[in-house]
Amino acid sequence: MRARLKLGIMETYSVLWKILRLKPMLYMLVILLTGKAAFAATDGMTGLKLIEFGLPKDRLASIGMFLTPLQVMLPWVIGKWTSGPRPLNIFLLAYPYRLFVGGVFALLVYYTPSFRLESGKFGISVYVVWIIAYLFHQLASYCMFVSMMAFNAQVSDPRIGGTYMTMLNTLSNLGGNWPVTLILSITDWFSFKDCTVKGTKQVLYACNTKDLADKCAAGGNVCEVAIDGYYISVAMCSIIGLIWYKLLFDKIKYLQKIPRKDWSIIRK
């Protein structure tokens, strides 16, 4: 067993900088920082849309209880595939499936308001449907997560402790956060509203700005959403995901073929 190196703070950062300059790591950076952009709208906005429709936050939060057993069992179930020399094969299988689930989420969001009761609340069937939907979503999401973490563990050099693994996990987390922040900040650009006569469908003018919305309300009319930016964002992210998958499929396969020693800068 190779002994762990004792590195100071500056030495550790120097080693990490050299690791980031490795050719395999350049491909890995692209994958980690851009791979989750395809799911930004689904992951970052679906819960917000459901809350907007009137589903209580505590009910949505309780869905997590039903996902916990899946999170516990899944690593054990797929362990025999992720522990082998090609752990990212699971990632490649789950990626298009997760894209498909994103489209299903958009459809469910679209039809959810139709099941609102006269009291303004939602029946238990709506929650059951969403629990099932989130189970399928979590299945794809966690398969991708486990396979990527398994690959990171294989290529990380144990001689520098958990620093290598921590760096890869940090990059992975960053790749999951910045797309959500971006899509939340630009979704309003894709939303279009019309000022309609109250109680009718007669459109008077567009009210996409705050001033026009205030003018519409001041006139006793209603500024309604004509095109919801959520659906455009989901479609746009899905297209980006399909392109990403097509362009990087072979690169991900290639990463698994690179000898593990080529991921380390310490040869002795």
Side-chain angles (χ1 to χ4, degrees):
M1 183 176 179
R2 292 175 293 183
R4 179 177 297 182
L5 298 178
K6 294 182 179 180
L7 301 174
I9 295 177
M10 296 306 298
E11 292 172 314
T12 300
Y13 279 108
S14 176
V15 168
L16 290 179
W17 174 246
K18 292 177 181 178
I19 291 173
L20 289 173
R21 294 168 60 189
L22 293 172
K23 184 178 179 180
M25 187 57 66
L26 296 179
Y27 292 131
M28 196 66 176
L29 283 172
V30 174
I31 292 168
L32 292 177
L33 293 177
T34 63
K36 296 179 183 177
F39 319 114
T42 300
D43 294 350
M45 298 175 60
T46 299
L48 297 177
K49 292 300 297 182
L50 295 178
I51 293 173
E52 179 184 324
F53 292 154
L55 274 73
K57 294 181 181 179
D58 56 338
R59 292 287 184 89
L60 292 177
S62 65
I63 292 178
M65 294 189 304
F66 298 94
L67 304 181
T68 301
L70 180 65
Q71 294 173 345
V72 173
M73 294 178 59
L74 195 59
W76 175 74
V77 173
I78 66 174
K80 63 179 179 180
W81 291 286
T82 57
S83 60
R86 302 288 186 267
L88 291 181
N89 285 351
I90 296 294
F91 179 94
L92 293 172
L93 287 173
Y95 196 95
Y97 171 71
R98 189 173 173 184
L99 285 176
F100 173 75
V101 173
V104 173
F105 266 38
L107 286 174
L108 290 177
V109 168
Y110 181 80
Y111 286 107
T112 292
S114 303
F115 295 92
R116 185 185 287 112
L117 303 176
E118 293 183 359
S119 62
K121 299 181 179 180
F122 291 89
I124 190 65
S125 60
V126 173
Y127 296 101
V128 171
V129 169
W130 274 108
I131 288 172
I132 295 173
Y134 269 106
L135 283 173
F136 281 104
H137 173 269
Q138 193 67 18
L139 177 64
S141 176
Y142 214 60
C143 278
M144 291 176 59
F145 171 78
V146 172
S147 63
M148 183 59 72
M149 291 303 101
F151 181 74
N152 290 347
Q154 289 184 12
V155 301
S156 297
D157 191 339
R159 287 174 294 181
I160 58 174
T163 306
Y164 201 134
M165 187 73 172
T166 300
M167 179 190 68
L168 292 175
N169 288 343
T170 300
L171 292 171
S172 180
N173 291 334
L174 179 61
N177 290 331
W178 77 260
V180 173
T181 302
L182 177 62
I183 203 67
L184 288 174
S185 64
I186 66 174
T187 295
D188 282 345
W189 298 355
F190 312 131
S191 297
F192 300 93
K193 301 177 181 179
D194 290 331
C195 182
T196 60
V197 178
K198 189 174 183 179
T200 71
K201 294 295 183 180
Q202 181 183 352
V203 177
L204 300 176
Y205 52 85
C207 54
N208 295 315
T209 65
K210 186 178 184 302
D211 291 339
L212 289 174
D214 292 341
K215 176 183 175 182
C216 180
N221 301 308
V222 180
C223 187
E224 296 182 339
V225 176
I227 300 177
D228 196 325
Y230 168 78
Y231 305 105
I232 296 178
S233 296
V234 170
M236 182 176 65
C237 287
S238 297
I239 293 172
I240 291 173
L242 290 173
I243 296 173
W244 185 94
Y245 188 74
K246 176 68 174 178
L247 293 177
L248 293 177
F249 182 90
D250 291 336
K251 293 298 182 184
I252 295 175
K253 287 280 191 180
Y254 164 73
L255 287 178
Q256 300 183 106
K257 298 177 182 178
I258 299 175
R260 298 299 186 250
K261 62 182 179 63
D262 290 349
W263 292 85
S264 175
I265 62 165
I266 304 173
R267 303 302 181 185
K268 296 182 180 180

